Amino acid sequence: MFEHMTEEEARQHILKEVGEYCRQFHNTGKPFRKGDRIPYASRVYDEKEMTNLVDSALEFWLTSGRYTKEFERKFGEKLGVRYVSTVNSGSSANLLAFNALTSPLLGERRIRRGDEVITVAAGFPTTVTPMIQYGAVPVFVDVTMETANIDVTKLDDALSSRTKAVMLAHTLGNPFDLSAVKAFCDRHGLWLVEDNCDSLGSRYTLDGETRMTGTFGDIGTSSFYPPHHLTMGEGGAVYTNNPLLHKIIRSMRDWGRDCVCVSGQDNLCGHRFDGQYGTLPKGYDHKYVYSHFGWNLKATDLQAAIGCAQIDKLDGFTEKRRHNYAFLRQQLIDRGAEEMLLLPEAAANSEPSWFGFLMTLKKSGIREQTVRAVESAGVQTRMLFSGNLIRHPCFDEMRAAYEAGDAENAGFRVSGTLDNTDRIMRDAFWVGVYPGMTDEKLACMAEIITEAAAGALH
Ligand SMILES: Cc1ncc(COP(=O)(O)O)c(C=O)c1O
């Protein structure tokens, strides 16, 4: 078939066929009928993602390469951030973001074992895991019921002489009070890490300037796992405007090495064999000099190829998520659901790109019955991830030490109470507003949710 073609002609031929295949067999969709399953999230893509993926496969570079470079450029331009590092998951992005702040290159400001980081327990575990694995002390602060984000009136009480950073996610796309958190960090010389895994495309206005979330703090992180705002299958990104943090992030992502040559490149700086590092012999190959204890957290070029097609769709996705949120909210209000459910509200000064639609039952103790009814009517539901992370088995040993007053072995601290966190853990659930949702499905969800909550009440 390819004998009379150049390699480029053969590639174009294959890609054309792949596009045809995608149009014919994917996204064919059948009309929605009441009772059909309504998932909380799904990938939204077309032939562009699939042809990019196959293009990268035909090139067979596999590790990070030209698509990764293109993705990082496009992502940086879209967010308005200077340095982007693609990684293999959002959890890896958080691991890197946190550990970057422990680098000796940061001098006095580096986070050391035993230093404290202010965060919340109502969220996804891997926002907090890196702190515990390193031996830093997460300090948990309660959230507000309206936004399920940190209650900023409690920040001052959480501060101690060992506080070095604040690391928080924007819950389900709704930004935390960036204005108060940023001012608090600036006032006390603290690092701010924004876990932006659930909020890509959300905007926030601070001092008259509107920017994307993830770009206000020192470091932002994203996840490209399928339910998220963009997908690569698996994948993530870490971003910063700070060149030193970028250098540290790249070093830790790529085995801890000192050298900045990309995969397959040698001697970019022209000094591969003439440096003096640590107590190594002078001229030791710079490619194998390690300035940090790192990992290998890179993504493949196949993942980035999908990301390159997805990023072009981000604005459309964001618009659709906002529409879906507003439509579902109104449908619920029209059906009187507000009497039974606390509905989500956008944070002040924000335009969220909603990841999910969180609802808390006003009457406690009927969540299970409500969720069972919603699920059996075909609507997929989710909890706010861990609810209250401290109550999970992974915290058993630490919780026991904390309750026994053994602060050293506890390895965490609670500032004030976590009453709202516990209430969300007990009484809240969420449903999807992803771009593949239609008004018809949203209206049907509103009906099912309202009926289920009413049924559980009576
Ligand atoms: C807030 C938050 N942070 C981090 C992650 C981890 O991302 P990943 O699944 O790509 O590791 C998630 C996962 O969904 C998340 O919701």
Side-chain angles (χ1 to χ4, degrees):
M1 180 185 211
F2 297 135
E3 296 102 76
H4 304 296
M5 291 183 187
T6 62
E7 186 184 350
E8 178 57 20
E9 284 165 349
R11 202 169 58 88
Q12 290 307 333
H13 175 81
I14 293 166
L15 297 182
K16 193 160 162 277
E17 298 289 318
V18 167
E20 242 348 277
Y21 169 87
C22 186
R23 280 191 295 277
Q24 179 97 17
F25 299 112
H26 285 247
N27 303 321
T28 46
K30 51 180 179 23
F32 173 73
R33 282 207 313 266
K34 210 174 157 194
D36 285 352
R37 187 115 182 100
I38 306 179
Y40 84 98
S42 184
R43 306 149 301 164
V44 178
Y45 64 98
D46 59 25
E47 68 267 20
K48 190 75 184 90
E49 280 79 356
M50 206 174 276
T51 50
N52 270 16
L53 175 62
V54 173
D55 188 33
S56 175
L58 293 175
E59 197 168 82
F60 214 65
W61 180 253
L62 303 181
T63 182
S64 55
R66 74 175 168 97
Y67 273 118
T68 304
K69 208 168 162 195
E70 185 185 333
F71 177 76
E72 288 173 352
R73 180 186 57 75
K74 281 179 153 181
F75 189 90
E77 275 172 16
K78 181 61 73 190
L79 265 76
V81 70
R82 271 171 82 186
Y83 305 107
V84 179
S85 298
T86 312
V87 293
N88 57 13
S89 75
S91 301
S92 298
N94 282 343
L95 183 70
L96 275 179
F98 175 80
N99 277 279
L101 302 178
T102 70
S103 168
L105 298 184
L106 299 175
E108 280 304 297
R109 286 199 67 195
R110 75 185 276 210
I111 299 175
R112 290 178 179 274
R113 289 183 177 77
D115 281 344
E116 296 188 344
V117 182
I118 295 174
T119 189
V120 297
F124 199 77
T126 60
T127 315
V128 174
T129 305
M131 305 169 200
I132 292 169
Q133 287 170 333
Y134 176 74
V137 177
V139 176
F140 296 106
V141 174
D142 209 2
V143 296
T144 68
M145 288 309 298
E146 290 71 30
T147 63
N149 276 312
I150 192 163
D151 181 345
V152 293
T153 63
K154 309 225 158 99
L155 278 171
D156 283 332
D157 283 347
L159 189 75
S160 82
S161 60
R162 295 213 69 171
T163 312
K164 283 283 180 62
V166 176
M167 183 160 171
L168 295 165
H170 299 291
T171 301
L172 297 181
N174 199 8
F176 56 79
D177 186 339
L178 272 160
S179 159
V181 172
K182 185 122 179 48
F184 175 77
C185 289
D186 290 347
R187 203 159 53 243
H188 300 288
L190 310 177
W191 300 106
L192 174 59
V193 179
E194 291 175 77
D195 178 336
N196 203 32
C197 288
D198 294 342
S199 44
L200 189 62
S202 294
R203 284 198 290 256
Y204 190 86
T205 303
L206 183 59
D207 298 332
E209 197 192 339
T210 302
R211 296 212 311 264
M212 297 276 220
T213 56
T215 67
F216 289 85
D218 297 285
I219 306 179
T221 62
S222 279
S223 164
F224 306 128
Y225 189 65
H228 288 104
H229 296 63
L230 295 188
T231 188
M232 295 182 182
E234 300 285 352
V238 190
Y239 29 100
T240 181
N241 283 313
N242 179 324
L244 178 58
L245 290 177
H246 174 61
K247 180 181 156 154
I248 298 166
I249 288 163
R250 281 291 166 105
S251 167
M252 289 185 170
R253 184 194 69 175
D254 302 351
W255 306 281
R257 68 187 183 154
D258 201 64
C259 170
V260 296
C261 285
V262 295
S263 297
Q265 195 174 44
D266 288 336
N267 208 13
L268 178 71
C269 63
H271 295 285
R272 183 172 166 193
F273 297 113
D274 59 22
Q276 175 66 65
Y277 302 100
T279 56
L280 287 163
K282 182 161 168 53
Y284 193 80
D285 188 349
H286 189 217
K287 254 188 122 49
Y288 295 100
V289 171
Y290 301 95
S291 43
H292 293 100
F293 298 103
W295 298 269
N296 176 2
L297 303 173
K298 293 192 297 298
T300 67
D301 227 34
L302 294 114
Q303 290 161 283
I306 302 169
C308 282
Q310 285 270 290
I311 188 92
D312 292 338
K313 299 185 169 82
L314 183 64
D315 292 344
F317 287 167
T318 305
E319 219 172 283
K320 193 74 172 58
R321 283 180 182 276
R322 288 194 183 127
H323 166 84
N324 291 348
Y325 158 83
F327 187 84
L328 176 59
R329 196 170 199 283
Q330 195 54 51
Q331 289 284 319
L332 285 162
I333 291 170
D334 291 348
R335 286 171 168 78
E338 265 191 313
E339 281 194 19
M340 301 172 288
L341 293 159
L342 194 63
L343 302 182
E345 275 176 38
N349 307 315
S350 83
E351 299 162 78
S353 176
W354 298 91
F355 182 50
F357 193 98
L358 183 76
M359 292 159 281
T360 308
L361 284 145
K362 291 187 174 170
K363 180 171 175 355
S364 204
I366 59 166
R367 199 250 321 262
E368 188 191 334
Q369 200 187 332
T370 307
V371 164
R372 278 183 191 278
V374 172
E375 288 270 353
S376 65
V379 177
Q380 196 174 32
T381 62
R382 287 290 179 266
M383 300 290 112
L384 184 59
F385 311 119
S386 70
N388 179 345
L389 184 58
I390 301 168
R391 295 191 182 276
H392 285 253
C394 58
F395 261 91
D396 280 354
E397 273 186 354
M398 293 163 70
R399 199 180 338 100
Y402 186 74
E403 283 163 6
D406 178 0
E408 199 182 332
N409 287 310
F412 75 96
R413 196 159 71 73
V414 175
S415 181
T417 66
L418 299 184
D419 292 345
N420 287 344
T421 302
D422 278 336
R423 180 150 176 237
I424 285 170
M425 175 194 64
R426 261 194 325 267
D427 299 327
F429 67 99
W430 60 276
V431 295
V433 286
Y434 77 102
M437 205 70 95
T438 60
D439 286 359
E440 200 184 2
K441 288 183 192 175
L442 293 161
C444 179
M445 280 204 309
E447 192 180 318
I448 289 169
I449 292 165
T450 313
E451 278 174 14
L457 255 182
H458 300 116

